[in-house]
Each structure stands twice: as structure tokens, then as C-alpha cells.
């Protein structure tokens, strides 16, 4: 389904060049190809339009008209634009107050609990004393799942299986963490839809109660057009600090990354690339741009 | 040529609605081209009539293997009727199994579940809790056991206990992982050693918030396991799940169920008309 955009554009531009001059119309039709490719990669419709309009303007500048290979030139402009949009690569998380509190949020099944385990391991390896907190009081066996992961990575898990109040559990966990001299406290929460008012109120209340130093929004890289709605609402309610992009070991193009960055302007801080606890990586904007463009 | 009210602007708007619903560029263009042809042929087409046209065109792509909406629900017409559930990670397989089990159970069937996800942390516990909720038996060999032998044992016990319906859970797996995909064929093969015509259904679960990658998921899972039906979950949010239109069209696999929440009753039989309505409804 996805042809290589680069070769497609190059061919398109070569054909145009063969016909004579490159005109506004020629560039417009090529830009349309790029827009289609972005939407095929799940970049949001409106975002794809905005980005390609900007690219068009740039492409209409003199340099492309006199370029030896206008197709390659255009591809380069597109790639650079995407890299720029996605920001710089290394985006540290804030571990300043002691203990640092990290709140994990996102849709159902996006990979929050798995990521919580990975982050715990990653921070433990850098020498910190970490506590995981099970605040998902809804999903069957959610606490067990986090406990299994905690055991795998050798990090304590705080849970209150009988308590049906996520805010209370979070608060108690912080007191416990302080008492135990934990340096980082990672709070895993239940998956929730942005339209679920009660659940969005719950996580906003958790945030207010524990004042996290870092809030991470976890997104499945296979997410489609709805990524913008979800990210917008979560950001309005939580003003999160960064994004975690999961399941990048698959073959999804991951256009959602671009949409989210464009809509809420928050950096992608980690990527998840597997089910095992060490499948965690930093984010490389240039690799992501190539992936989205299918290059 | 009479001037119809369906003009460029209307079609642009339609394009935005369809693509924003994850229908995908190719399928969207296909739909728009068909509308354009109809407009050219019938000359006077008002925007009000466009609505009806659209429904017709999309409904046609959602070919339900000639069956209508009422007949979408699984029918346990052999005993035991074996359903194997597959899909990528976190789409809602286990939850859908719990809900399906409840529907069969309520309809008076004896149901047995097989805990074939022996990999993901606490996956067996999760299915067992669903089994308790519904009030049905769950066969498990614990974590890290061989999923194929769990499936074999579940089918065997179902025959011995004269169960009507068997539903086998499997671990989430990305379709580009060859070993994990081969494991699915093995699970199927091993269960066939006991019951040659099992599984009677292979249900591929797709997450309604997934974009165009769902297309490749359908393609790859169909290749390894002969998927017979689709379920699309998490449609209680703002995501529309439009990608199934193109999937159903290309692979001729019927969409049978939709998930609309996390509770036991939140599974509905797929209704084409309601689904198309939801594409054009803003939440
Ligand atoms: N292949 C792959 N699978 C992943 C990755 N991250 C998580 N998963 C899997 O995705 C599924 C869902 O992950 P969870 O961590 O349970 O997701 P969650 O967001 O906590 O889910 P809820 O709590 O139900 O909302 C599980 O099968 C995980 O093993 C990843 O990066 N790659
Ligand atoms: N809102 C909503 N959530 C759902 C729906 N179906 C499942 N979920 C949630 O999605 C998350 C993942 O569901 P699971 O049933 O564990 O998914 P799975 O495919 O079995 O996941 P793995 O076994 O880890 O691959 C859970 O939090 C479920 O409660 C649905 O229709 N709507
Ligand atoms: K998902
Ligand atoms: Mg979780
Ligand atoms: Mg499962």
C-alpha cells in the first residue's frame, strides 16, 4: 500500500522536468502526493494540510526551480521540515524534587503499565531507588500485572487491592515512598478515553493531589486520526510534560507522533520498542521523519 | 448539464470527514469517485440526497459476505463451537472474550475459555477474573506454558464436558514478528489434532483508534490464520474506526462485533447503518 515516497516524488518531478518548466501547478500536484503520503502514514488530515502548505511555499522559492534534481530537493525539504517539527532528540525527564514523582497517563491498551516497568528499570540502573505505584483500580488483574513487572525489574510496587479510590492510593503511596527513602515514584494509572469525564476528572484529581514533577502521555504508534483529539484533551486536563511513543517495533508509520507534536507542542521523550523490560529507547526525530515518509 | 448542488466544496468536506475517520486516502478517493459518477449520471443531486448515496456506497464496501446485520452474531451451530481470538497488543482481545462469553452464557450455552496468553504479565489472571465475572470455566496451564497445549487441552475438556462454546485467548503479537505469527498457526494445528474442524471462527480484534496500520494487520493475520470475522473495539471514544471499510472491502471479512466500553455488556453486534451514521456524527 505504501510506495516509497521519495522515489515517487523524484519520478513525478522528473516527468515534469522532461515536459519543460516546473510550474506552480507541477509543484502543487507533487505536494498533493506528499500530503497523501502523510495521511497514509496517519498524520492528521488538518496537520498534513498545514505542513504541506508550508512546504509548498518553501518549494516555490527559487532554489527548487534551478535545482539539478528538483525531486530530491523537494524530498529533502519535506524531511527537514518534519525533523524540525518533531524537535530535538534528547529530552530529559525532570527528576529534580526528591522524591521525583512521575505520573503515567493515556488511552486503554496504549502501553502504560509496560512502560512504567521499563522506566523503573531504566532509572534503577542509573542508581536510583524507585517505587512503582498501582493506581489502576479498574482493569482486571492490573495490579498483578504491575507486580509481576516490578518483580522482573527488581523494583517495589505499592498497591492497595481493597481501596477503590485512586487519589487516596496515590497519596498514600507518596507518603510510603518518602518514608522508605525512594528517589523516584512512578504512578501507573488506568487507561481512559478523553471523552470519559469521570475518568478524566479522576486523573486530574490524582495530579492535583500528588503534584508530579513529570507527567508522561503514552501513545500507541499505530494510532490514527483521533490522536489529535486525545492528545489535546489530555493536555488540557493535565498539561503533560512529554510523550511516550509505543509499539515502534511494529511497522506502523507513526504519523500520530507528528500530529501530536504539532497540536500540543510537547516533546517525545521515550520510545517503546517491544514487550520486554529493556525495550526502551530515546527518540530520534530524523529516524521518525524517515519512517513517516516511508524512506 | 444541469448544475447539481454537490460541488467541489461539498466533496472536499466529504473527503475531510472520511479521512478524519481513518477511512484512508485510497478508500476515500474510491468513495468520492463513485459519488462523482453518480452525480454526473443523475445530474440533479442535492446535498440531502448525497447522504443517502454515501450510505449506499459505503454499505456496499462493507460487504458482509451477503449476510445482513441481524445475522452478524456468531451462531454456535456445532458443538463445541470453537472461537480463536487474535490480534496485535492491547487491542482488547481478552476483554472482548469476556464480553462474548457473557453473551453466550446468557443465551444458555455452556462456555469454556482457554488461557492461551501465557506470555504477558498477569494475562492468565486477567482472563480468570473475566471467567469469574461471567461464571464460566477457564482452562489454564499457568504462565509461560505452551499456548498450543493450552488450546488442545481446552478443546479436549470442552468435548468431555459437553460444552457448547470454546473461546481461546492468545497473546497480543505484532504481525511483523514471524515467530509469533507462526506460533498462531501452531496453536491452530495442535487443536485440530483433537477436533479437526476447529477453530470454527478466527476473530481478529482491531482497535478502533488504530489508523492505516490496521489494514496490514488484517492482511498479515489473514495470511497466517484465515481470519473469519472482525471485531472493532473502543468505539466509545471519538475514534471512528473507518479503516474497517477498506479492510472489509478488500479481504471480504465481515465485521461482526464492536466494543463500546470496558464493562461486560459493552459488546454489540455490528450494525452497518449505525456504523455509517457514526462516521458523520460529531461527538
Ligand atoms: N510489541 C510491543 N508491545 C508492547 C509495547 N508496549 C506495550 N506492549 C504490549 O501492549 C499491550 C498493552 O500494554 P499495557 O502496558 O498493558 O498497556 P496499558 O496502557 O497499561 O493498558 P491499560 O492499563 O489496559 O490501559 C501488552 O500486550 C504489552 O505487552 C511495545 O513497545 N511493543
Ligand atoms: N473504552 C474501551 N476500552 C476497551 C474496550 N475493549 C477493551 N478495552 C480496554 O483496553 C485495554 C486492553 O484490553 P485487553 O482486553 O487487555 O486487550 P488485549 O488485546 O487482550 O491485550 P494484550 O493481551 O495485552 O495484547 C483494557 O484496559 C480494556 O479495558 C472498549 O471497547 N472500549
Ligand atoms: K491501542
Ligand atoms: Mg495498564
Ligand atoms: Mg489479552
Amino acid at each position: 500500500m505504501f510506495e516509497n515516497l521519495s522515489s515517487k516524488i523524484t519520478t513525478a518531478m522528473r516527468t515534469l522536468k522532461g515536459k519543460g518548466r516546473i510550474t506552480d501547478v507541477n509543484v502543487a500536484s507533487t505536494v498533493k502526493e506528499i500530503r497523501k503520503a502523510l495521511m497514509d502514514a496517519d498524520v492528521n488530515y488538518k496537520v498534513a494540510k498545514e505542513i504541506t502548505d508550508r512546504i509548498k511555499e518553501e518549494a516555490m522559492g527559487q532554489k527548487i526551480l534551478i535545482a539539478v534534481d528538483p525531486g530530491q530537493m523537494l524530498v529533502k525539504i519535506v524531511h527537514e521540515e518534519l525533523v524540525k517539527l518533531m524537535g530535538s532528540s534528547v529530552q530529559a525527564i525532570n527528576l529534580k524534587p526528591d522524591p521525583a514523582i512521575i505520573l503515567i497517563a493515556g488511552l486503554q491498551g496504549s502501553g502504560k503499565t509496560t512502560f512504567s516497568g521499563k522506566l523503573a528499570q531504566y532509572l534503577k540502573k542509573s542508581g536510583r531507588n524507585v517505587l512503582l505505584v498501582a493506581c489502576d483500580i479498574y482493569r482486571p488483574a492490573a495490579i498483578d500485572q504491575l507486580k509481576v513487572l516490578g518483580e522482573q525489574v527488581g523494583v517495589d510496587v505499592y498497591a492497595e487491592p481493597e481501596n477503590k479510590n485512586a487519589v487516596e492510593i496515590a497519596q498514600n503511596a507518596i507518603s510510603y515512598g518518602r518514608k522508605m527513602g525512594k528517589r523516584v515514584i512512578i504512578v501507573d494509572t488506568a487507561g481512559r478515553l478523553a471523552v470519559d469525564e469521570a475518568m478524566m476528572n479522576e486523573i486530574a484529581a490524582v495530579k492535583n493531589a500528588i503534584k508530579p514533577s513529570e507527567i508522561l502521555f503514552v501513545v500507541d504508534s499505530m494510532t490514527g486520526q483521533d490522536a489529535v483529539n486525545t492528545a489535546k484533551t489530555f493536555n488540557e486536563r493535565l498539561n503533560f510534560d512529554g510523550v511516550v511513543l509505543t509499539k515502534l517495533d511494529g511497522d506502523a508509520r507513526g504519523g500520530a507522533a507528528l500530529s501530536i507534536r504539532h497540536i500540543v507542542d510537547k516533546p517525545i521523550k521515550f520510545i517503546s520498542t517491544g514487550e520486554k523490560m529493556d525495550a526502551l529507547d530515546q527518540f530520534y526525530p530524523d529516524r521518525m521523519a524517515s519512517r513517516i515518509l516511508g524512506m | 448539464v444541469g448544475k447539481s448542488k454537490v460541488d467541489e466544496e461539498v466533496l472536499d468536506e466529504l473527503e475531510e470527514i472520511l479521512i478524519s475517520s481513518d477511512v484512508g486516502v485510497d478508500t476515500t478517493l474510491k468513495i468520492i469517485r463513485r459519488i462523482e459518477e453518480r452525480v454526473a449520471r443523475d445530474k440533479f443531486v442535492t446535498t440531502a440526497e448525497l447522504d443517502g448515496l454515501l450510505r449506499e456506497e459505503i454499505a456496499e464496501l462493507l460487504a458482509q459476505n451477503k449476510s445482513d446485520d441481524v445475522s452478524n452474531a456468531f451462531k454456535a451451530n456445532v458443538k463445541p463451537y470453537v472461537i480463536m481470538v487474535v490480534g496485535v497488543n492491547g487491542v482488547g482481545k481478552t476483554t472482548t472474550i469476556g464480553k462474548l462469553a457473557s453473551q453466550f452464557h446468557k443465551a444458555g450455552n455452556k462456555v469454556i475459555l482457554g488461557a492461551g496468553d501465557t506470555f504477558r504479565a498477569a494475562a492468565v489472571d486477567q482472563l480468570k477474573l473475566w471467567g469469574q465475572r461471567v461464571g464460566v470455566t477457564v482452562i489454564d496451564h499457568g504462565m509461560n506454558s505452551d499456548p498450543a497445549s493450552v488450546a488442545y487441552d481446552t478443546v479436549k475438556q470442552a468435548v468431555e464436558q459437553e460444552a457448547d462454546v470454546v473461546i481461546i485467548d492468545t497473546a497480543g503479537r505484532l504481525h511483523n514478528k514471524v515467530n509469533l505469527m507462526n506460533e498462531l498457526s501452531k496453536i491452530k494445528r495442535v487443536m485440530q489434532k483433537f477436533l479437526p474442524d476447529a477453530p470454527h471462527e478466527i476473530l481478529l480484534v482491531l482497535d478502533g483508534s488504530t489508523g492505516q496500520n490496521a489494514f496490514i494487520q488484517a492482511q498479515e493475520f489473514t495470511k497466517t490464520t484465515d481470519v473469519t470475522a472482525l471485531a472493532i473495539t473502543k468505539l466509545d471514544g471519538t475514534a471512528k474506526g473507518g479503516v474497517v471499510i477498506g479492510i472489509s472491502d478488500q479481504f471480504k471479512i465481515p465485521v461482526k462485533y464492536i466494543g463500546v466500553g470496558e464493562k461486560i455488556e459493552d459488546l454489540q453486534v455490528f450494525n452497518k447503518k449505525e456504523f455509517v451514521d457514526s462516521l458523520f456524527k460529531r461527538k
Side-chain angles (χ1 to χ4, degrees), chain A residues 136-259:
Chain A
D136 181 351
I137 52 179
Y138 308 97
R139 169 172 164 165
I143 296 175
D144 296 324
Q145 187 187 1
L146 194 67
K147 280 190 171 161
V148 169
L149 297 180
E151 199 160 306
Q152 267 177 35
V153 303
V155 165
D156 291 342
V157 175
Y158 183 90
E160 296 182 31
E162 303 306 321
N163 195 343
K164 287 292 160 207
N165 184 331
V167 177
E168 247 175 57
I169 298 170
Q171 283 172 319
N172 295 344
I174 306 302
S175 313
Y176 172 83
R178 283 184 201 284
K179 206 171 67 200
M180 302 303 287
K182 299 290 178 186
R183 306 288 307 279
V184 182
I185 303 175
I186 301 169
V187 182
D188 181 29
T189 63
R192 64 201 75 223
L193 292 169
V195 289
D196 190 334
E197 267 304 303
M199 288 297 285
M200 291 307 286
N201 286 339
E202 180 200 71
I203 196 149
V206 169
K207 175 191 169 172
N208 289 337
I210 63 174
K211 310 253 177 317
S213 30
E214 183 81 20
I215 303 176
L216 295 174
F217 176 61
V218 180
V219 194
D220 186 326
S221 60
M222 296 178 268
T223 310
Q225 296 285 316
D226 193 56
V228 293
N229 299 326
T230 305
K232 219 161 133 185
T233 311
F234 271 83
N235 194 47
E236 277 161 14
R237 297 303 298 267
L238 298 176
N239 189 19
F240 56 74
D241 302 286
V243 175
V244 178
L245 203 57
T246 64
K247 308 180 197 174
L248 274 170
D249 46 326
D251 57 6
R253 300 280 286 278
L258 193 61
S259 305

Side-chain angles (χ1 to χ4, degrees), chain A residues 42 108 224-226 249 251, chain B residues 22 175 177 209 212 238 262:
Chain A
D42 294 320
Q108 286 94 345
Q225 296 285 316
D226 193 56
D249 46 326
D251 57 6
Chain B
D22 290 313
H175 50 275
K177 309 218 161 153
S209 64
Q212 299 310 298
T238 42
E262 300 184 80

Side-chain angles (χ1 to χ4, degrees), chain A residues 220-222 246-254 272-275 288 291, chain B residues 88-89 173-177 213 216-217:
Chain A
D220 186 326
S221 60
M222 296 178 268
T246 64
K247 308 180 197 174
L248 274 170
D249 46 326
D251 57 6
R253 300 280 286 278
S272 231
T273 57
E275 298 191 73
M288 199 63 215
R291 184 179 178 126
Chain B
V88 300
N89 307 80
R173 67 201 72 220
L174 295 176
H175 50 275
N176 60 340
K177 309 218 161 153
N213 192 252
I216 311 173
Q217 290 170 27

Side-chain angles (χ1 to χ4, degrees), chain A residues 139, chain B residues 88-95 97 117 120 123-124 126-127 169-172:
Chain A
R139 169 172 164 165
Chain B
V88 300
N89 307 80
V91 289
K93 294 175 293 299
T94 307
T95 307
I97 290 169
D117 180 355
R120 210 219 53 229
V124 171
Q126 186 188 4
L127 190 73
D169 193 11
T170 62

Side-chain angles (χ1 to χ4, degrees), chain B residues 192-210:
Chain B
Q192 284 167 343
K193 282 188 194 159
F194 190 81
L195 204 65
D197 56 344
H200 305 94
E201 298 279 359
I202 296 181
L203 179 68
L204 172 66
V205 180
L206 299 171
D207 184 326
S209 64
T210 302

Side-chain angles (χ1 to χ4, degrees), chain B residues 219-230:
Chain B
Q219 179 182 300
E220 295 305 310
F221 277 94
T222 303
K223 237 191 252 165
T224 25
T225 62
D226 297 312
V227 173
T228 61
L230 303 173

